[in-house]
Amino acid sequence: VGVLRREDPVEPIGFHFDDQAVDAQPGDTISTALIDARLLMTSRSPKYRRPRGPYCLSGDCGTCLVRVDGQPNVRACMTAVLPDIHVEPQNTFRPKGLDPTQLVDRMFSGGFDHHRFMVKPKIANTIMQTVARELAGFGELPVRALDQPVRHEHHEVAAFVLGQGSAGRAAARVLADAGIDVFAIDRHDAESLRAIDELPWPDTALTSTGVFAAYAGERLWAMQSTGPDGIVLRTVRAQSVLLAMGSRDPMLPFPNNDVPGVMSARGLVRALRRVRAKLEEPPVVVGHGPVAQDCAEELDAELVHPDKVESVTGSRRVEGLALRTGRKIRCQFVAVAGPASAASELAAQAGAALRFDGAGYVISRDESGRAGRFGDTQLWATGDVTGWKGPLAARRDGERVAQQIVRHQKVRRRDG
Ligand code: FES
């Protein structure tokens, strides 16, 4: 019996995980199907061989990497299950069967401080680094080349919106309604975007499309779209670029917080919305503030303040949460709701100014939303990437900055 209670289950589709038959529901990601099947561990950490499973469930952390039909480094949380695919764990010492490095689980069942462990004496550190380098690695080469040729498409547009979360989506709609030639993308697929915000996105927005480079000299943004027709490489040049990449869910510091079954609360909420399911047994939410409260409510979960946490218990998966009061809560999942940090790395690469807001580096912008230049392209920024706002305030911010872009583009057009 799975751990998910589905709202409207239909005929399952089958796939394979490490030679085990697993049932999934249409619309499942590999991660939601594996969570449902209680198969949480998909890899080991490169350095200390700690068990790894999904954390962010949003494509940000990379702890869910698996090999799918011979392709390495596939994010299980961003990949929909297809019938009969073969999914294998990655970065285990042997792909299947006994993994001698799992002795680490037994030797350090209570966890250890990996910032200090074997750092001194120097000789121990050198040996550890050498062994870790040997064992580390993220997958072996694909078994075959890509089936289809990769196409390239180039887009010259007035406005380019990166991100279709609450702010980017609201902004793209304002731009499209004002007759601005807008190109909008998001790296999530349509099902995940629907779980992030119910606001529809413009018909022209592309899903499953993520930027991997920004070239200021050429004013080019390079990205990859994945879909049923294979991979399309795209380049975009725009007069205005609106950065709306949102925020990420950082981990909170408490012992054993990396055991499979510890997940981002926002990521878990969205993943469950996506597959229209609830957990059979509620998780415990660790966090404080409005986001933590909203997540605990949606997950029917007990909310625990981070200061009260002694540690997560369990060595290969979560078995419970030990509190400083001596109380032990039995649970299979711990959902972490820490202060969101802005997804500002691409903005930094593009030359936008950043500032530290206490939780991370956010894009620094002026009153109207201007965030610097990228060659002779005007950069703008909106939503959580400029500092945490939450969905409703992010929408309003997106609309406000989009109206400024409409004005800017009209002036540009008028001035030739
Ligand atoms: S990238 Fe998949 S869980 Fe974080």
Short mmCIF file of all heavy atoms in Angstrom, two decimals, residues 216-261:
data_model
loop_
_atom_site.label_atom_id
_atom_site.label_comp_id
_atom_site.label_asym_id
_atom_site.label_seq_id
_atom_site.Cartn_x
_atom_site.Cartn_y
_atom_site.Cartn_z
N ALA A 216 26.31 38.39 -22.33
CA ALA A 216 26.03 39.83 -22.37
C ALA A 216 26.53 40.47 -23.66
O ALA A 216 25.87 41.34 -24.23
CB ALA A 216 26.67 40.51 -21.16
N GLY A 217 27.70 40.02 -24.15
CA GLY A 217 28.27 40.63 -25.37
C GLY A 217 27.30 40.54 -26.53
O GLY A 217 27.12 41.48 -27.30
N GLU A 218 26.66 39.40 -26.67
CA GLU A 218 25.72 39.17 -27.78
C GLU A 218 24.28 39.47 -27.37
O GLU A 218 23.37 39.34 -28.18
CB GLU A 218 25.79 37.71 -28.25
CG GLU A 218 27.11 37.29 -28.88
CD GLU A 218 28.19 36.99 -27.83
OE1 GLU A 218 27.86 36.95 -26.63
OE2 GLU A 218 29.36 36.82 -28.22
N ARG A 219 24.06 39.80 -26.08
CA ARG A 219 22.72 40.01 -25.51
C ARG A 219 21.85 38.77 -25.68
O ARG A 219 20.65 38.84 -25.86
CB ARG A 219 22.02 41.20 -26.17
CG ARG A 219 22.67 42.53 -25.84
CD ARG A 219 22.07 43.66 -26.66
NE ARG A 219 20.62 43.62 -26.71
CZ ARG A 219 19.92 43.64 -27.84
NH1 ARG A 219 20.52 43.70 -29.00
NH2 ARG A 219 18.61 43.62 -27.81
N LEU A 220 22.48 37.60 -25.60
CA LEU A 220 21.75 36.35 -25.87
C LEU A 220 21.50 35.57 -24.59
O LEU A 220 22.36 35.49 -23.72
CB LEU A 220 22.59 35.46 -26.78
CG LEU A 220 22.45 35.61 -28.29
CD1 LEU A 220 23.27 34.54 -28.98
CD2 LEU A 220 21.00 35.55 -28.73
N TRP A 221 20.32 34.99 -24.52
CA TRP A 221 19.98 34.05 -23.46
C TRP A 221 19.83 32.69 -24.14
O TRP A 221 19.13 32.58 -25.15
CB TRP A 221 18.67 34.45 -22.78
CG TRP A 221 18.74 35.83 -22.21
CD1 TRP A 221 18.62 37.00 -22.90
CD2 TRP A 221 18.99 36.19 -20.85
NE1 TRP A 221 18.76 38.07 -22.04
CE2 TRP A 221 18.99 37.60 -20.78
CE3 TRP A 221 19.20 35.47 -19.68
CZ2 TRP A 221 19.20 38.30 -19.60
CZ3 TRP A 221 19.40 36.16 -18.50
CH2 TRP A 221 19.40 37.56 -18.46
N ALA A 222 20.49 31.68 -23.59
CA ALA A 222 20.45 30.35 -24.21
C ALA A 222 19.68 29.40 -23.31
O ALA A 222 19.88 29.41 -22.09
CB ALA A 222 21.87 29.83 -24.44
N MET A 223 18.81 28.61 -23.89
CA MET A 223 17.97 27.73 -23.07
C MET A 223 17.65 26.43 -23.81
O MET A 223 17.87 26.33 -25.02
CB MET A 223 16.68 28.45 -22.69
CG MET A 223 15.81 28.80 -23.85
SD MET A 223 14.90 30.32 -23.56
CE MET A 223 16.18 31.54 -23.62
N GLN A 224 17.15 25.51 -23.04
CA GLN A 224 16.80 24.20 -23.60
C GLN A 224 15.35 23.89 -23.25
O GLN A 224 14.95 24.02 -22.10
CB GLN A 224 17.72 23.15 -22.98
CG GLN A 224 17.38 21.74 -23.38
CD GLN A 224 18.35 20.73 -22.78
OE1 GLN A 224 19.57 20.94 -22.82
NE2 GLN A 224 17.83 19.66 -22.23
N SER A 225 14.58 23.48 -24.27
CA SER A 225 13.21 23.01 -24.02
C SER A 225 13.20 21.51 -24.20
O SER A 225 13.75 20.99 -25.17
CB SER A 225 12.23 23.59 -25.05
OG SER A 225 12.21 24.98 -25.02
N THR A 226 12.55 20.81 -23.27
CA THR A 226 12.37 19.37 -23.45
C THR A 226 10.90 19.08 -23.57
O THR A 226 10.08 19.67 -22.87
CB THR A 226 12.95 18.58 -22.26
OG1 THR A 226 12.60 19.24 -21.06
CG2 THR A 226 14.44 18.44 -22.33
N GLY A 227 10.58 18.17 -24.46
CA GLY A 227 9.17 17.81 -24.65
C GLY A 227 9.07 16.54 -25.44
O GLY A 227 10.08 15.88 -25.70
N PRO A 228 7.84 16.18 -25.81
CA PRO A 228 7.65 14.91 -26.53
C PRO A 228 8.42 14.86 -27.85
O PRO A 228 8.79 13.79 -28.33
CB PRO A 228 6.13 14.85 -26.78
CG PRO A 228 5.56 16.13 -26.30
CD PRO A 228 6.61 16.90 -25.56
N ASP A 229 8.69 16.04 -28.44
CA ASP A 229 9.42 16.07 -29.72
C ASP A 229 10.93 16.09 -29.52
O ASP A 229 11.68 16.32 -30.46
CB ASP A 229 9.01 17.30 -30.55
CG ASP A 229 7.53 17.34 -30.77
OD1 ASP A 229 6.92 16.25 -30.76
OD2 ASP A 229 6.97 18.44 -30.94
N GLY A 230 11.38 15.93 -28.30
CA GLY A 230 12.82 15.93 -28.04
C GLY A 230 13.28 17.26 -27.49
O GLY A 230 12.51 17.99 -26.86
N ILE A 231 14.54 17.57 -27.78
CA ILE A 231 15.15 18.77 -27.19
C ILE A 231 15.22 19.88 -28.24
O ILE A 231 15.58 19.64 -29.39
CB ILE A 231 16.57 18.43 -26.69
CG1 ILE A 231 16.47 17.45 -25.52
CG2 ILE A 231 17.33 19.68 -26.29
CD1 ILE A 231 17.80 16.97 -25.03
N VAL A 232 14.86 21.08 -27.85
CA VAL A 232 15.04 22.25 -28.71
C VAL A 232 15.96 23.23 -27.98
O VAL A 232 15.70 23.58 -26.83
CB VAL A 232 13.69 22.95 -29.02
CG1 VAL A 232 13.91 24.11 -29.99
CG2 VAL A 232 12.68 21.97 -29.58
N LEU A 233 17.04 23.60 -28.63
CA LEU A 233 17.89 24.65 -28.07
C LEU A 233 17.39 25.98 -28.60
O LEU A 233 17.14 26.12 -29.80
CB LEU A 233 19.35 24.43 -28.47
CG LEU A 233 20.05 23.24 -27.83
CD1 LEU A 233 21.46 23.11 -28.35
CD2 LEU A 233 20.05 23.35 -26.31
N ARG A 234 17.23 26.94 -27.70
CA ARG A 234 16.70 28.24 -28.11
C ARG A 234 17.64 29.34 -27.69
O ARG A 234 18.27 29.25 -26.63
CB ARG A 234 15.35 28.51 -27.44
CG ARG A 234 14.30 27.52 -27.79
CD ARG A 234 13.02 27.78 -27.01
NE ARG A 234 12.14 26.65 -27.15
CZ ARG A 234 11.37 26.45 -28.20
NH1 ARG A 234 11.33 27.34 -29.19
NH2 ARG A 234 10.62 25.38 -28.28
N THR A 235 17.70 30.37 -28.52
CA THR A 235 18.38 31.59 -28.11
C THR A 235 17.36 32.72 -28.21
O THR A 235 16.49 32.70 -29.10
CB THR A 235 19.60 31.89 -29.00
OG1 THR A 235 19.27 31.61 -30.37
CG2 THR A 235 20.80 31.06 -28.59
N VAL A 236 17.47 33.66 -27.29
CA VAL A 236 16.52 34.78 -27.26
C VAL A 236 17.30 36.07 -27.14
O VAL A 236 18.25 36.16 -26.36
CB VAL A 236 15.56 34.67 -26.05
CG1 VAL A 236 14.68 35.90 -25.94
CG2 VAL A 236 14.69 33.43 -26.15
N ARG A 237 16.89 37.07 -27.91
CA ARG A 237 17.42 38.43 -27.75
C ARG A 237 16.20 39.33 -27.55
O ARG A 237 15.22 39.21 -28.31
CB ARG A 237 18.22 38.85 -28.98
CG ARG A 237 19.11 40.02 -28.71
CD ARG A 237 19.97 40.41 -29.91
NE ARG A 237 21.14 39.56 -30.10
CZ ARG A 237 21.38 38.85 -31.19
NH1 ARG A 237 20.53 38.84 -32.19
NH2 ARG A 237 22.48 38.13 -31.29
N ALA A 238 16.22 40.15 -26.51
CA ALA A 238 15.03 40.95 -26.20
C ALA A 238 15.44 42.37 -25.83
O ALA A 238 16.56 42.61 -25.38
CB ALA A 238 14.29 40.31 -25.03
N GLN A 239 14.49 43.31 -26.01
CA GLN A 239 14.78 44.70 -25.62
C GLN A 239 14.67 44.86 -24.10
O GLN A 239 15.44 45.58 -23.49
CB GLN A 239 13.79 45.64 -26.33
CG GLN A 239 14.04 45.68 -27.83
CD GLN A 239 12.84 46.17 -28.60
OE1 GLN A 239 11.79 46.48 -28.05
NE2 GLN A 239 12.99 46.25 -29.91
N SER A 240 13.68 44.18 -23.52
CA SER A 240 13.52 44.19 -22.06
C SER A 240 13.49 42.76 -21.56
O SER A 240 12.84 41.91 -22.18
CB SER A 240 12.18 44.85 -21.67
OG SER A 240 12.28 46.24 -21.74
N VAL A 241 14.19 42.50 -20.47
CA VAL A 241 14.18 41.16 -19.87
C VAL A 241 13.71 41.27 -18.44
O VAL A 241 14.28 42.05 -17.66
CB VAL A 241 15.58 40.50 -19.93
CG1 VAL A 241 15.60 39.20 -19.13
CG2 VAL A 241 15.99 40.25 -21.38
N LEU A 242 12.66 40.53 -18.11
CA LEU A 242 12.12 40.56 -16.75
C LEU A 242 12.55 39.29 -16.02
O LEU A 242 12.22 38.17 -16.42
CB LEU A 242 10.59 40.65 -16.79
CG LEU A 242 9.89 40.64 -15.43
CD1 LEU A 242 10.38 41.79 -14.54
CD2 LEU A 242 8.38 40.72 -15.60
N LEU A 243 13.32 39.48 -14.95
CA LEU A 243 13.83 38.35 -14.16
C LEU A 243 12.81 38.02 -13.08
O LEU A 243 12.54 38.84 -12.20
CB LEU A 243 15.18 38.73 -13.55
CG LEU A 243 16.24 39.17 -14.56
CD1 LEU A 243 17.42 39.84 -13.86
CD2 LEU A 243 16.72 37.98 -15.40
N ALA A 244 12.22 36.85 -13.17
CA ALA A 244 11.17 36.45 -12.21
C ALA A 244 11.37 34.98 -11.84
O ALA A 244 10.47 34.15 -11.98
CB ALA A 244 9.79 36.67 -12.85
N MET A 245 12.60 34.69 -11.38
CA MET A 245 12.94 33.28 -11.14
C MET A 245 12.46 32.76 -9.79
O MET A 245 12.63 31.58 -9.49
CB MET A 245 14.45 33.08 -11.24
CG MET A 245 15.00 33.20 -12.66
SD MET A 245 15.34 34.91 -13.10
CE MET A 245 16.81 35.25 -12.19
N GLY A 246 11.89 33.64 -8.98
CA GLY A 246 11.31 33.16 -7.72
C GLY A 246 12.34 32.87 -6.64
O GLY A 246 13.40 33.50 -6.58
N SER A 247 12.02 31.90 -5.79
CA SER A 247 12.89 31.61 -4.65
C SER A 247 13.04 30.11 -4.45
O SER A 247 12.30 29.33 -5.02
CB SER A 247 12.28 32.23 -3.39
OG SER A 247 10.99 31.70 -3.18
N ARG A 248 14.03 29.78 -3.63
CA ARG A 248 14.30 28.37 -3.34
C ARG A 248 14.08 28.11 -1.86
O ARG A 248 14.02 29.03 -1.06
CB ARG A 248 15.74 28.05 -3.68
CG ARG A 248 16.08 28.34 -5.09
CD ARG A 248 17.15 27.40 -5.60
NE ARG A 248 17.22 27.52 -7.04
CZ ARG A 248 18.06 28.31 -7.67
NH1 ARG A 248 18.93 29.02 -6.97
NH2 ARG A 248 18.05 28.37 -8.98
N ASP A 249 14.02 26.83 -1.53
CA ASP A 249 13.76 26.44 -0.14
C ASP A 249 15.02 25.90 0.50
O ASP A 249 15.40 24.76 0.24
CB ASP A 249 12.67 25.38 -0.11
CG ASP A 249 11.40 25.91 -0.73
OD1 ASP A 249 11.07 27.06 -0.46
OD2 ASP A 249 10.76 25.18 -1.50
N PRO A 250 15.67 26.70 1.33
CA PRO A 250 16.91 26.22 1.94
C PRO A 250 16.62 25.22 3.07
O PRO A 250 15.50 25.17 3.59
CB PRO A 250 17.53 27.48 2.52
CG PRO A 250 16.39 28.40 2.75
CD PRO A 250 15.31 28.03 1.80
N MET A 251 17.63 24.47 3.44
CA MET A 251 17.52 23.53 4.56
C MET A 251 17.71 24.29 5.87
O MET A 251 18.42 25.30 5.90
CB MET A 251 18.63 22.48 4.39
CG MET A 251 18.71 21.49 5.49
SD MET A 251 17.16 20.67 5.80
CE MET A 251 17.15 19.44 4.52
N LEU A 252 17.08 23.86 6.91
CA LEU A 252 17.34 24.43 8.24
C LEU A 252 18.37 23.55 8.94
O LEU A 252 18.37 22.33 8.75
CB LEU A 252 16.05 24.47 9.06
CG LEU A 252 15.03 25.53 8.62
CD1 LEU A 252 13.71 25.34 9.36
CD2 LEU A 252 15.56 26.93 8.82
N PRO A 253 19.24 24.15 9.75
CA PRO A 253 20.32 23.36 10.35
C PRO A 253 19.86 22.62 11.61
O PRO A 253 19.62 23.24 12.64
CB PRO A 253 21.37 24.42 10.70
CG PRO A 253 20.59 25.67 10.88
CD PRO A 253 19.35 25.58 10.06
N PHE A 254 19.70 21.31 11.52
CA PHE A 254 19.52 20.46 12.71
C PHE A 254 20.09 19.10 12.36
O PHE A 254 20.17 18.72 11.18
CB PHE A 254 18.05 20.40 13.16
CG PHE A 254 17.05 20.12 12.08
CD1 PHE A 254 16.80 18.83 11.64
CD2 PHE A 254 16.35 21.17 11.49
CE1 PHE A 254 15.86 18.59 10.65
CE2 PHE A 254 15.42 20.94 10.49
CZ PHE A 254 15.17 19.64 10.07
N PRO A 255 20.54 18.35 13.39
CA PRO A 255 21.24 17.09 13.11
C PRO A 255 20.39 16.11 12.31
O PRO A 255 19.19 15.98 12.54
CB PRO A 255 21.55 16.54 14.51
CG PRO A 255 21.57 17.75 15.39
CD PRO A 255 20.54 18.68 14.82
N ASN A 256 21.08 15.44 11.37
CA ASN A 256 20.47 14.39 10.55
C ASN A 256 19.43 14.94 9.56
O ASN A 256 18.52 14.22 9.15
CB ASN A 256 19.79 13.35 11.46
CG ASN A 256 20.15 11.94 11.02
OD1 ASN A 256 21.09 11.72 10.25
ND2 ASN A 256 19.40 10.98 11.50
N ASN A 257 19.59 16.22 9.19
CA ASN A 257 18.57 16.82 8.31
C ASN A 257 18.68 16.38 6.86
O ASN A 257 17.90 16.82 6.02
CB ASN A 257 18.65 18.37 8.40
CG ASN A 257 19.98 18.89 7.92
OD1 ASN A 257 20.84 18.14 7.44
ND2 ASN A 257 20.18 20.20 8.05
N ASP A 258 19.65 15.50 6.56
CA ASP A 258 19.81 15.08 5.16
C ASP A 258 19.29 13.67 4.90
O ASP A 258 19.47 13.13 3.81
CB ASP A 258 21.30 15.16 4.75
CG ASP A 258 22.17 14.21 5.56
OD1 ASP A 258 21.72 13.77 6.63
OD2 ASP A 258 23.30 13.90 5.11
N VAL A 259 18.63 13.07 5.89
CA VAL A 259 18.14 11.70 5.70
C VAL A 259 16.97 11.72 4.71
O VAL A 259 16.14 12.62 4.76
CB VAL A 259 17.68 11.13 7.07
CG1 VAL A 259 17.06 9.76 6.92
CG2 VAL A 259 18.84 11.08 8.02
N PRO A 260 16.89 10.73 3.81
CA PRO A 260 15.74 10.69 2.90
C PRO A 260 14.42 10.69 3.68
O PRO A 260 14.26 9.95 4.66
CB PRO A 260 15.94 9.37 2.14
CG PRO A 260 17.42 9.19 2.13
CD PRO A 260 17.90 9.70 3.47
N GLY A 261 13.50 11.54 3.24
CA GLY A 261 12.24 11.72 3.97
C GLY A 261 12.16 13.12 4.56
O GLY A 261 11.09 13.55 4.96
#
